[in-house]
Amino acid sequence: MTNLAAESPNPLIPPIGEIIIGLIAFGILFFVVAKFVAPRFEQVFRARREAIEGGIERAEAMQAEAKAALERYQAQLAEARTEAAQIRDQARAEGQQILEELRAQAQEESARIVARGEEQLASSRQQVVNELRGQIGRLAVDLAGRVVGESLEDQARRTGTVDRFLDQLDGMAAGASPDGRGATGSSVYVQGDR
């Protein structure tokens, strides 16, 4: 048995030839990996890192640009709102001014129409009074002629009588007028006219 144990190599220790071949193969493989593969990996990693860092920088730049654009947009929006508020206030003021002008024009037109109507009414009243005076005068002359029994054809007499009669009628009408004037002022006038 001792023979067998002396002849068989230790299974944990490889033969020296295999160790030398393994070391040479490892050296060649290490040289190839260190010379060709590792620099290529390093280059790919560097390119990838630069791409990632460049992407991050571009993203940050775009984010800053977007933020600046958002701030510009918000400033423009605030300015547009302010301008819209000013336009709205100006339109309100102009509308109020137009309303006031139209109201003033309407009041002026109304006052003018009322004044014209009053003038026409006064003119018509005066015309009616003049016509009534003439008719009352003729009737008074005829009636006075019948009462007196003589003809009042004389123009001067008739005019004086008619005027006194009409003045007395005016005095009576003035005594009953709503302005509170009595008939005394007109009576004095009528008597003074005689």
Side-chain angles (χ1 to χ4, degrees):
M1 279 207 186
T2 47
N3 232 351
L4 202 67
E7 264 181 41
S8 81
N10 187 356
L12 295 176
I13 298 175
I16 298 277
E18 285 181 15
I19 290 176
I20 292 174
I21 291 177
L23 283 175
I24 291 173
F26 177 75
I28 292 172
L29 185 64
F30 180 77
F31 175 76
V32 169
V33 167
K35 186 75 175 171
F36 299 108
V37 175
R40 180 72 182 143
F41 277 138
E42 189 68 31
Q43 184 181 9
V44 168
F45 287 144
R46 189 179 315 116
R48 186 153 194 163
R49 187 180 67 230
E50 288 174 359
I52 291 171
E53 288 175 353
I56 291 172
E57 289 175 0
R58 281 194 305 272
E60 288 174 351
M62 290 175 70
Q63 186 176 8
E65 190 176 320
K67 186 176 180 182
L70 179 63
E71 289 174 357
R72 282 195 309 269
Y73 169 74
Q74 288 175 342
Q76 289 174 352
L77 184 62
E79 183 179 331
R81 284 181 179 157
T82 304
E83 187 175 338
Q86 289 175 347
I87 290 171
R88 187 176 54 243
D89 291 342
Q90 184 179 2
R92 267 194 204 126
E94 288 176 0
Q96 189 68 26
Q97 182 181 3
I98 289 170
L99 272 175
E100 292 297 325
E101 289 175 1
L102 289 176
R103 189 173 293 135
Q105 287 177 355
Q107 287 175 348
E108 289 174 6
E109 184 69 21
S110 174
R112 193 172 25 178
I113 289 171
V114 168
R116 193 173 347 143
E118 288 175 355
E119 288 175 4
Q120 289 175 352
L121 184 64
S123 173
S124 297
R125 182 177 180 269
Q126 188 61 40
Q127 186 179 4
V128 167
V129 167
N130 289 341
E131 288 176 9
L132 285 176
R133 277 184 169 238
Q135 289 177 2
I136 290 173
R138 280 192 302 275
L139 290 174
V141 168
D142 288 344
L143 184 62
R146 288 183 192 163
V147 170
V148 172
E150 67 181 65
S151 175
L152 295 176
E153 295 296 323
D154 182 19
Q155 183 69 24
R157 255 195 226 168
R158 184 173 38 170
T159 304
T161 304
V162 169
D163 286 342
R164 276 195 306 277
F165 177 71
L166 291 176
D167 287 340
Q168 286 176 354
L169 283 178
D170 284 343
M172 285 190 250
S177 68
D179 63 357
R181 233 178 44 202
T184 57
S186 295
S187 298
V188 168
Y189 174 74
V190 170
Q191 290 172 0
D193 189 34
R194 286 184 196 169

